[in-house]
Amino acid sequence: MITAIKGVRVRRAAAVAVTAGAVLATGALTAAPAQAVATPTIAAKTGFVMNNANGAALYNKGMDTKLPTGSTTKIMTANVVLSQANLNLDAKVTIQKAYSDYIVANTASSARLIVGDKVTVRQLLYGLMLPSGCDAAYALADKFGTGTTRAARVKSFIAKMNSKATALGMTKTHFDSFDGIGSGANYSTAKDLTKLASNSLKNANFRAVVKTKSYTAKTITKTGSIRTMGAWTNTNTLLSSYSGTIGVKTGSGPEAKYCLVFAATRNGKTVVGTVLASTSVTVRAADATKLLNYGFARLG
């Protein structure tokens, strides 16, 4: 009787051991906790990623280092425009020769706006954020600045950009241009730009623009006819390469190198981040991909 009971116990123990071994082999009991995910290495000089829900930092590499921002500056341009009281997105702006001359003088990225055409504010926002049009940025600054001269209006618009930065707690940021082509005093940090992106994404119109891969504007010519513009393609390649991407904006330049402010949503969770001074267009996307993967892994 006693021997039989012992035999049952031995068999049960052996079965438990076999089951446990099988579980361990499949990894069911050894899944690494989220906080144990290996921290990625990126080529960018600085990087920052946060949980959009509460602002909690998920990754940091030199997040408070001040660096040139290139066209990621245009996130603030869009933010200021979309923050205007009683904004009419269908209001028309006539494209001035000054905007075209500015593009030529600075060899700047362009939405290829045609002098004399009437373009809506909504279309200018797409021209600003997709092909990174500095002509669109100039038009918006001229439209939404205040003053009797174009120079005064642009100056006041840039002042609005800096006021908004202060209001958002972007303590290590300063803008001296509406598009990132400044005079050496246009800088921010990976953390500040991430904070700006998070705030901007609260606006439905901003979200609609920055998640768009391609947009074709129909403008009104001097003679009143309709001009179908060439399609504007979003320079943010993550929209095609990373599932769940919802924005935000690229930037580049001799001083800024290659920058990207990015955001993605998966399983109801949104991660927002920035890489500044990466080494190429391809590498900045790879850097952002690593940081998004890491961010989501940290969130679990």
Side-chain angles (χ1 to χ4, degrees):
M1 184 72 169
I2 293 173
T3 304
I5 291 172
K6 282 183 179 178
V8 169
R9 285 177 178 164
V10 169
R11 285 194 297 275
R12 283 178 179 168
V16 169
V18 169
T19 303
V23 170
L24 287 171
T26 61
L29 293 182
T30 58
Q35 62 269 26
V37 177
T39 304
T41 299
I42 59 173
K45 188 171 183 179
T46 68
F48 180 74
V49 174
M50 74 180 195
N51 178 358
N52 194 51
N54 56 16
L58 300 171
Y59 174 91
N60 164 32
K61 177 186 177 182
M63 65 181 182
D64 291 323
T65 303
K66 295 177 183 178
L67 291 172
T69 58
S71 286
T72 61
T73 298
K74 291 166 183 162
I75 300 170
M76 181 59 90
T77 307
N79 188 301
V80 168
V81 169
L82 290 166
S83 298
Q84 299 298 305
N86 304 312
L87 176 66
N88 177 10
L89 289 171
D90 296 318
K92 293 179 176 61
V93 177
T94 301
I95 302 306
Q96 305 296 317
K97 186 173 183 294
Y99 313 157
S100 178
D101 291 345
Y102 175 82
I103 292 294
V104 174
N106 291 281
T107 319
S109 53
S110 171
R112 305 181 302 280
L113 299 172
I114 308 297
V115 175
D117 277 12
K118 290 182 172 60
V119 184
T120 67
V121 171
R122 187 191 314 275
Q123 290 168 339
L124 287 173
L125 287 168
Y126 279 95
L128 173 78
M129 299 301 281
L130 273 63
S132 201
C134 294
D135 44 357
Y138 197 165
L140 289 166
D142 193 7
K143 167 72 174 174
F144 292 101
T146 55
T148 56
T149 66
R150 184 173 293 118
R153 290 190 292 273
V154 168
K155 184 178 180 181
S156 78
F157 186 86
I158 294 168
K160 289 182 183 182
M161 294 170 69
N162 284 308
S163 293
K164 190 62 180 281
T166 300
L168 292 178
M170 298 168 64
T171 58
K172 293 178 173 61
T173 296
H174 182 266
F175 297 109
D176 71 350
S177 73
F178 47 73
D179 58 0
I181 302 174
S183 349
N186 204 94
Y187 58 81
S188 188
T189 68
K191 183 178 180 181
D192 276 2
L193 285 173
T194 301
K195 196 179 293 186
L196 170 61
S198 179
N199 175 267
S200 300
L201 286 165
K202 292 177 181 178
N203 184 286
N205 290 307
F206 182 88
R207 293 197 303 273
V209 171
V210 298
K211 75 177 182 183
T212 300
K213 293 180 184 179
S214 179
Y215 181 89
T216 300
K218 292 183 182 296
T219 62
I220 301 175
T221 69
K222 290 178 184 178
T223 60
S225 62
I226 302 297
R227 184 196 308 280
T228 301
M229 298 287 290
W232 291 325
T233 302
N234 202 318
T235 55
N236 181 6
T237 59
L238 289 185
L239 289 166
S240 297
S241 67
Y242 194 87
S243 175
T245 296
I246 57 173
V248 173
K249 184 72 186 75
T250 60
S252 61
E255 296 82 22
K257 305 303 180 189
Y258 297 88
C259 311
L260 181 57
V261 181
F262 52 88
T265 298
R266 287 184 174 180
N267 300 318
K269 298 172 183 177
T270 299
V271 170
V272 186
T274 300
V275 289
L276 296 177
S278 194
T279 55
S280 72
V281 168
T282 305
V283 175
R284 75 179 171 196
D287 283 345
T289 297
K290 288 179 185 178
L291 295 189
L292 283 167
N293 286 338
Y294 181 70
F296 284 119
R298 285 285 309 273
L299 291 179

